[in-house]
Every structure is written in C-alpha cells, then in structure tokens.
Amino acid sequence: MNKTNTEAAEFVSKLIGQIRTEDKFEVIVCPPFTALEKICDITSGSNIKVGAQNAFYEDKGAYTGEISVNMLKDIGVEYVILGHSERRHIFQENDELINKKLKKVIVSGLTPILCVGEKLEEREKGLTFNVVEKQIKEAFYGLTQEEASKIIIAYEPVWAIGTGKVATPNQAQEVHKFIRDLLKNIFNEEFAKNTTILYGGSIKPNNYLGLFGKTDIDGGLVGGASLTEDFVELAKIMKEIIE
Ligand SMILES: O=C[C@H](O)COP(=O)(O)O
C-alpha cells in the first residue's frame, strides 16, 4: 500500500529508460490496484512489465472489494503476486484460498508469483522446511505439471520482510535448494531446474550481490527498495551479474 496513482506514475516514468533488461532477466513492477491501469499505459512498449499484488478466484459477482483476473487482464496486467505473507498473516489468507486463486490466475494466462516463507518463531523451532513444504504442496494441490510450470516462487522469510534483517546468502540458498529439491520430488528434475525461485526480504543494493550469486536464487522480490532509486541500482547489479 505504497504510492498513489500520481506518485506511482511519476516513479515508473523515471524508471523507463534507466532500466535496461536482457533476455535472461525481467523487471516487473507491482503497484497498488488504483495505479495499475496508468502504469500499464506508461510501460506499454517498454521493457518493464506489470503485476498486481493480489486477485480473487471468481470471475465476477457479489464479492465486494475484490478484483478479478479478467479485470487485471483487461488493462494489460501480466503477473499476480499471491500468498504474500501480509495477505497470509494480516488478512488470514490460508493455503486453500491461495490454491484457488493460483488455479484461477494460471487458467487465465496470467503468471502467478507465489510467496512462501516462515515466521521467526517457526525458524527458531526448526520448522522452516516444514512450513515451506506445506505452503508449496497445498498451493500446488490439483495442478498439472504444465499448470504448475507457470508459477514463479518467491521465498520470503517473514522475519526479513521490511525489518532490515536480510537472510544471509547461505540461509536463503539453503531454503531455495530445499524448494528446488521439493519440486523435483513433486514433478521432476527438469521442472525443478526451470522454475524461477526469487528471494524477498530486505533486499538492498548492498546485500543483493551475495544473494544473487547463489546457485538456486534466480532473482528478487523487492519491497522497500523498489520504492526508491535503489531499484534502479538493483537492476544495474542484475545486469552486471548476468553479463
Ligand atoms: O513485497 C516485498 C517483500 O515482501 C519484501 O519487502 P522488503 O524488501 O521491504 O523487505
């Protein structure tokens, strides 16, 4: 819930031209619903893509306050974040609801970015892998391999989101490898290899290099740093790493 329509438009207008992407790397901005249409217009024909921060699983009807995937597609949105920890913990979204939303987003042809991650007390009790495994298995429930191949996963330890406490590259890599091995078990090695797994949680230009250098970390889901010039800096770092 950051940036008004006007502020988001001003910010993204500046980003275009400052951010160069390559085939191997994409930049997606996910503003609030109120700014989506304008940002889709501004980024049209540019190298920046647009995602929503949530969506509902029904097409239309008496669901006051909800936004359907068709509403998003109609204005040019291509990605949808689902299961963000704030949706799970502040708005009580459970795995069953996230699974329904995920199915809807996939069937609609949009690309879901599925967030998973443990809370601090779960990490301290040694439950990180159990939590992440349950979230992924329940989100994937009933999906075919082809459907599941559309999903981008974002590992976001809840204790690192907006706290300034970034996971160390080794802590993040350990969970990313666990996720990749889990995907291998659910489907197969090829599927696991081809799935994009992002890290999110207090990413800044001064800590991202170490994270992205790890084998199983394919990119970032950036919160606070995506609201400032730091985002341009991060994109430059990504480009240098890829080249
Ligand atoms: O939505 C973004 C992620 O939750 C990370 O947020 P953050 O970079 O502010 O910690």
Side-chain angles (χ1 to χ4, degrees), residues 84 86 156 160-163 200-204 221-225:
H84 189 280
E86 287 141 20
E156 297 206 306
I161 298 175
T163 59
S202 296
I203 291 177
K204 299 279 181 289
L221 181 50
V222 188

Side-chain angles (χ1 to χ4, degrees), residues 43-79:
T43 55
S44 170
S46 81
N47 50 18
I48 296 177
K49 296 180 177 173
V50 182
Q53 299 178 8
N54 193 13
F56 195 53
Y57 59 81
E58 293 288 357
D59 287 327
K60 62 179 190 175
Y63 303 102
T64 304
E66 294 298 328
I67 299 288
S68 76
V69 292
N70 290 337
M71 292 171 182
L72 298 174
K73 276 178 77 173
D74 183 57
I75 56 172
V77 169
E78 292 179 72
Y79 295 81

